[in-house]
Amino acid sequence: MEGLYNFLVSLDGMLGGADWFPFVLLGVGLFFTIYLKFPQIRFFTHAWKVVTGKYDHSDDPGDTTHFRALTTALSGTVGTGNISGVAFAIFLGGPAALFWMWATAFLGMTTKFVEVTLSHKYRVQTEDGSMAGGPMYFMDRGLNMKWLAVAFAIATVVSSFGTGNLPQSNGIATSIEATFGFEPWIVGSVLGILLALVILGGIQRIAAVTARIVPIMAVVYLIGALAVIFANIENIGPSFAAVISDAFTGSAAAGGFLGASLAYAFNRGVNRGLFSNEAGQGSAPIAHAAAKTKEPASEGMVSLLEPFIDTIIICTITGLVILSSGVWKEKHENVFDRSDMIFVAGEYSDKADDDKVQLYGFLNSTGDSDVKPYTGPISVVNGTAVTSGYTLINARSIAEDVQYLVGNEDPFTGTLQIKDGKPLKQNLVVKGKSLVHSATLTTIAFTRGWFGDFGQYIVSVGLLLFAFSTAIAWSYYGDRAMTYLLGPRSIMPYRVIYVAGFVWASFSDTTLVWALSAVAIVVMTLPNLFGIVLLSKEMKQTVDQYWQSVKDKQ
């Protein structure tokens, strides 16, 4: 697994983690924002009217209403990105990461407006009478680029696992285990059965289920979050100030105790923003293509609300919970993931400024550090190391009160062999105090409010509903892509593999899953952005014609 993780990290470094990717993503959003005269502001009120059904006609072609198309698409975006993803972004980039998530969402409102409108315009009716749409159809029928459409459809299938399946299952299982103590494989198996029962019903059942889940999960999560925010109300002002100031000045406090550069916070914030709202990824247009309407731009209006709801509202609330509670800077008892920990040669302290500078350079690969991975033996007696000359780093922090166990219960006694910073013993379990991230960080933050320890149950329930609905929606995205590639007969085998992957991810390495999701997002986003830019003139004409017709009817 470590070899796969290293490969994914390397690949992500060349794609989503590269310096150019955030500029491409935001650049396309900025271009369309200016070109279409700020549609996220001009059409914001009108979009709400469309969602409420003011312009609905029962005889319009399509499979579902505007509202249900919105909730299906929202269920695909509101997931672990809003709970785990925000926590991971703040862990890596500090408060500044939240600012760049806002920027991604604001510009992403326009990007999603464009991709949904064009996808709806070129949708088709399949053999079974249902609607099928998405970027692969405007690439094929609008651009006459079959090769690009095929590439996007393949990337969609991959992303259905990397975005909508594996990290969602992993996030649920991690949170449920931490809160209720249930084994991850049990959680994954039970939810896998429920997932299968829902997705076998197609878009009608999927839309019906998500239309019920999305409002419920939003209310539950909001109540728990506000309980923390108001309990720490004195920290809200400083938290907002840190988000703004750190975005332009950088912060030594960002990214854990070792800090993160301004560029790193920008990169992580944009990438997590994309993972959360998926604006530009081309996923939501697949759900919106099923909406009942003759006007593609009207469904585009509905879609521009998604990044606003998903990121500007829900992600901001999560971010304020984490920042105002202060838990993102504290060390907590946890089990260390192998991918998160590394042994380095020498003894370091997080209270010594020189040591922090050296470790910062090492972890951020600045080239200004003498720190090297540790290779050699470590003697352990009854779970406690008695060897000196090394430091264990976990989750970008120096680990404390470390215990080495076998089988998660029995203290280890013997000699551990460490090579290039990693233990060679495979069944070794390492526990201790360190910084935490992802769902674990958000779960702890929710205990710092009026509900006390009960707050962790709100996160667990919220994450369960958020992530499970995301998995449902993404199964539909994947089967539409498979329909385009191989026809309707490929849907059932895909669904079987999809459910099996959901179960597997519940007990796999958290960091490995996030690495896979980061790569999967980018390989889907780039073809989509390329396609919508090529159709920019047609997009403007479509919007202008629609808006003129709306004004003529008033």
Side-chain angles (χ1 to χ4, degrees):
M1 288 295 184
E2 288 184 16
L4 176 59
Y5 171 77
N6 291 333
F7 169 75
L8 291 172
V9 170
S10 177
L11 189 59
D12 180 45
M14 294 184 289
L15 297 173
D19 293 338
W20 55 267
F21 179 73
F23 292 100
V24 171
L25 180 67
L26 296 184
V28 171
L30 180 61
F31 163 71
F32 276 110
T33 293
I34 296 173
Y35 186 60
L36 300 177
K37 301 176 182 178
F38 290 83
Q40 66 270 66
I41 297 176
R42 285 202 298 147
F43 303 139
F44 188 77
T45 302
H46 178 72
W48 286 108
K49 293 179 180 178
V50 176
V51 171
T52 59
K54 181 177 181 179
Y55 301 95
D56 283 0
H57 298 284
S58 59
D59 58 344
D60 281 347
D63 302 321
T64 189
T65 65
H66 286 297
F67 175 74
R68 286 194 169 185
L70 175 64
T71 56
T72 299
L74 271 175
S75 70
T77 59
V78 179
T80 58
N82 303 83
I83 296 178
S84 302
V86 176
F88 198 56
I90 292 175
F91 164 76
L92 290 174
L98 185 59
F99 176 89
W100 295 114
M101 292 183 78
W102 292 343
T104 304
F106 180 75
L107 297 178
M109 291 172 72
T110 300
T111 305
K112 187 159 286 194
F113 172 56
V114 173
E115 62 186 358
V116 167
T117 299
L118 292 173
S119 294
H120 199 282
K121 183 175 184 178
Y122 286 101
R123 67 180 179 172
V124 300
Q125 193 168 34
T126 63
E127 298 173 8
D128 61 7
S130 63
M131 291 295 183
M136 55 274 200
Y137 288 96
F138 73 64
M139 293 171 186
D140 189 342
R141 303 175 68 224
L143 292 172
N144 197 29
M145 292 183 176
K146 181 76 174 182
W147 62 272
L148 188 64
V150 170
F152 176 85
I154 293 173
T156 300
V157 175
V158 174
S159 288
S160 70
F161 290 93
T163 299
N165 185 321
L166 306 184
Q168 311 302 328
S169 174
N170 192 275
I172 292 173
T174 300
S175 179
I176 295 296
E177 182 184 28
T179 305
F180 299 103
F182 291 119
E183 289 292 330
W185 70 269
I186 295 177
V187 176
S189 298
V190 172
L191 292 180
I193 294 173
L194 294 177
L195 176 64
L197 293 175
V198 174
I199 67 177
L200 289 176
I203 184 58
Q204 297 287 358
R205 186 181 298 172
I206 290 172
V209 171
T210 56
R212 292 179 175 87
I213 291 179
V214 170
I216 293 173
M217 68 187 187
V219 171
V220 170
Y221 191 72
L222 182 62
I223 291 172
L226 291 179
V228 178
I229 290 173
F230 283 111
N232 298 279
I233 194 69
E234 70 279 2
N235 297 327
I236 296 300
S239 295
F240 268 115
V243 170
I244 303 298
S245 64
D246 288 4
F248 298 98
T249 63
S251 171
F257 81 92
L258 295 176
S261 66
L262 180 63
Y264 194 74
F266 167 71
N267 186 289
R268 294 298 95 182
V270 171
N271 275 276
R272 289 300 98 186
L274 173 61
F275 180 82
S276 178
N277 60 55
E278 298 171 16
Q281 189 174 350
S283 52
I286 300 173
H288 285 285
K292 287 177 174 290
T293 181
K294 295 178 181 178
E295 297 286 353
S298 71
E299 192 58 26
M301 300 287 178
V302 173
S303 69
L304 67 78
L305 298 174
E306 289 170 29
F308 176 80
I309 296 171
D310 174 275
T311 305
I312 295 180
I313 295 180
I314 300 178
C315 286
T316 297
I317 289 172
T318 302
L320 289 178
V321 167
I322 293 170
L323 294 174
S324 66
S325 64
V327 298
W328 66 288
K329 295 185 291 186
E330 300 172 358
K331 295 181 181 181
H332 304 275
E333 188 75 31
N334 67 106
V335 177
F336 301 166
D337 280 340
R338 278 181 172 266
S339 302
D340 265 351
M341 65 180 183
I342 185 169
F343 293 82
V344 298
E347 298 181 19
Y348 296 90
S349 169
D350 52 17
K351 297 183 174 53
D353 290 340
D354 289 343
D355 288 356
K356 291 168 65 175
V357 170
Q358 286 291 316
L359 290 171
Y360 171 87
F362 172 73
L363 292 179
N364 292 286
S365 303
T366 64
D368 300 324
S369 175
D370 297 324
V371 179
K372 303 294 182 185
Y374 176 76
T375 295
I378 295 178
S379 297
V380 180
V381 177
N382 199 29
T384 302
V386 295
T387 302
S388 59
Y390 73 92
T391 300
L392 175 55
I393 303 293
N394 186 69
R396 300 179 64 85
S397 60
I398 295 177
E400 300 176 1
D401 302 333
V402 179
Q403 287 289 305
Y404 300 92
L405 309 173
V406 178
N408 208 29
E409 294 181 358
D410 300 326
F412 174 76
T413 296
T415 301
L416 291 176
Q417 292 296 330
I418 311 297
K419 183 177 181 180
D420 296 328
K422 299 292 183 180
L424 298 180
K425 187 175 180 60
Q426 293 301 313
N427 64 341
L428 181 71
V429 175
V430 185
K431 292 183 176 181
K433 289 184 178 179
S434 73
L435 295 179
V436 296
H437 58 76
S438 301
T440 304
L441 178 58
T442 307
T443 299
I444 295 172
F446 266 67
T447 65
R448 302 296 177 87
W450 291 337
F451 294 133
D453 289 342
F454 184 77
Q456 63 185 316
Y457 301 112
I458 295 177
V459 175
S460 295
V461 173
L463 184 58
L464 172 62
L465 295 174
F466 278 32
F468 187 66
S469 64
T470 295
I472 292 173
W474 268 94
S475 70
Y476 177 70
Y477 300 161
D479 81 35
R480 293 295 86 181
M482 290 299 297
T483 299
Y484 176 81
L485 291 169
L486 300 175
R489 291 184 179 180
S490 65
I491 294 177
M492 188 55 66
Y494 164 79
R495 288 173 176 170
V496 171
I497 297 173
Y498 189 86
V499 172
F502 187 85
V503 175
W504 169 81
S506 65
F507 53 84
S508 62
D509 188 296
T510 305
T511 313
L512 176 64
V513 168
W514 280 109
L516 176 61
S517 69
V519 173
I521 290 170
V522 181
V523 298
M524 189 174 171
T525 302
L526 292 177
N528 181 55
L529 295 178
F530 177 69
I532 63 176
V533 168
L534 292 181
L535 289 172
S536 57
K537 184 176 180 180
E538 181 176 342
M539 174 64 194
K540 190 174 191 306
Q541 293 172 344
T542 301
V543 174
D544 289 345
Q545 290 172 2
Y546 169 76
W547 193 237
Q548 186 60 49
S549 69
V550 171
K551 291 192 292 185
D552 290 344
K553 294 176 182 178
Q554 292 176 345

